[in-house]
Amino acid sequence: METDQCGGCGPIEHPSRAATLHLLGNHPVLDFTNTSSGRGSAQWLDHLQQPADLAAWAVHAGVIAPDLPVGVVSGKDLRRAIALREALYRTLLCAARRQTPDPADVRVIAAEHGRCLEVAALRGVSGSPAAPALGWHWPQGGGAAILGPLVTAALPLLTAVPPDRLRCCPGKDCGWLFLDTTRNGRRRWCDMAVCGNRAKAGRHRAIRRLRPEQEECGE
Ligand SMILES: [Zn+2]
């Protein structure tokens, strides 16, 4: 399925894994940004290709209940989701790097927040006395039922998370975002079993390539 398209022009063609992607971000908004990887590289992947991919990911990630009819997620919803996702990704990267985000991205997030709240209902929720008394709901379903929970969760994430705990995986063609919740704060990879091992294998290959030269020098 993969083609030789220019990595700088857009994502390569590949089957979407939206319904099975690993949820490693420790936050639904970070998992949402991780529906794409390797942005701008030759291995740029985007798993939100069809409206059904967005619905499948939202169910998989627990953002919406499984009984949301897939048909109510439209192509327009998908375009809104991708615009929001990319604005969030760039803004979160800025937060992690202690940089000021692009005002255009902030406008995209704020506009989507406004659109979602316009069709939201604020209802009482049952739970423990310590739990919040009210919660946002999107009774009409559709794209707002997916983007609403994400964009309302994104605002506190942007302003409340310590930047040294918000990380971008340095793995080749990755760039996934995650919250480092380890006690020692030394999580480096989105997934040690994938990007961590790939980097380790790359280092071993580099050492093997160098070894004959080193042995020659030592003789
Ligand atoms: Zn990674």
Side-chain angles (χ1 to χ4, degrees):
M1 285 291 286
E2 294 191 357
T3 64
D4 291 323
Q5 287 182 23
C6 164
C9 301
I12 59 177
E13 286 182 21
H14 67 102
S16 170
R17 289 186 282 111
T20 57
L21 278 175
H22 288 163
L23 305 171
L24 302 168
N26 281 330
H27 193 287
V29 172
L30 302 181
D31 289 329
F32 179 51
T33 67
N34 295 343
T35 54
S36 180
S37 59
R39 289 168 170 84
S41 76
Q43 294 302 315
W44 185 0
L45 301 182
D46 193 334
H47 295 282
L48 299 186
Q49 300 168 14
Q50 304 291 331
D53 298 331
L54 175 60
W57 175 83
V59 171
H60 168 58
V63 174
I64 56 165
D67 54 358
L68 179 86
V70 169
V72 301
V73 178
S74 65
K76 191 177 171 193
D77 293 331
L78 178 66
R79 288 191 292 278
R80 276 171 57 184
I82 290 174
L84 174 65
R85 183 191 66 186
E86 295 310 300
L88 284 170
Y89 182 79
R90 289 187 292 266
T91 305
L92 286 160
L93 265 187
C94 288
R97 295 169 180 168
R98 296 177 184 272
Q99 296 170 346
T100 303
D102 186 336
D105 286 332
V106 178
R107 280 196 294 275
V108 169
I109 297 166
E112 193 55 62
H113 186 255
R115 267 196 294 268
C116 287
L117 287 197
E118 270 177 19
V119 294
L122 192 57
R123 289 183 186 157
V125 289
S126 57
S128 71
L134 299 172
W136 295 110
H137 294 266
W138 283 270
Q140 293 169 15
I146 298 171
L147 301 188
L150 291 169
V151 75
T152 50
L155 298 194
L157 179 70
L158 287 169
T159 54
V161 170
D164 60 342
R165 288 285 175 162
L166 181 58
R167 303 271 165 78
C168 178
C169 178
K172 188 173 185 298
D173 303 323
C174 183
W176 272 19
L177 299 176
F178 60 89
L179 278 183
D180 181 359
T181 56
T182 60
R183 191 180 295 184
N184 62 11
R186 295 180 65 183
R187 179 178 165 190
R188 185 164 184 225
W189 308 102
C190 67
D191 189 348
M192 188 62 211
V194 180
C195 285
N197 281 347
R198 203 178 283 159
K200 201 192 289 182
R203 281 198 300 276
H204 286 164
R205 277 196 301 275
I207 289 167
R208 275 202 301 275
R209 276 198 303 273
L210 285 172
R211 193 171 288 154
E213 211 173 291
Q214 288 171 339
E215 285 171 357
E216 202 179 315
C217 290
E219 282 172 0

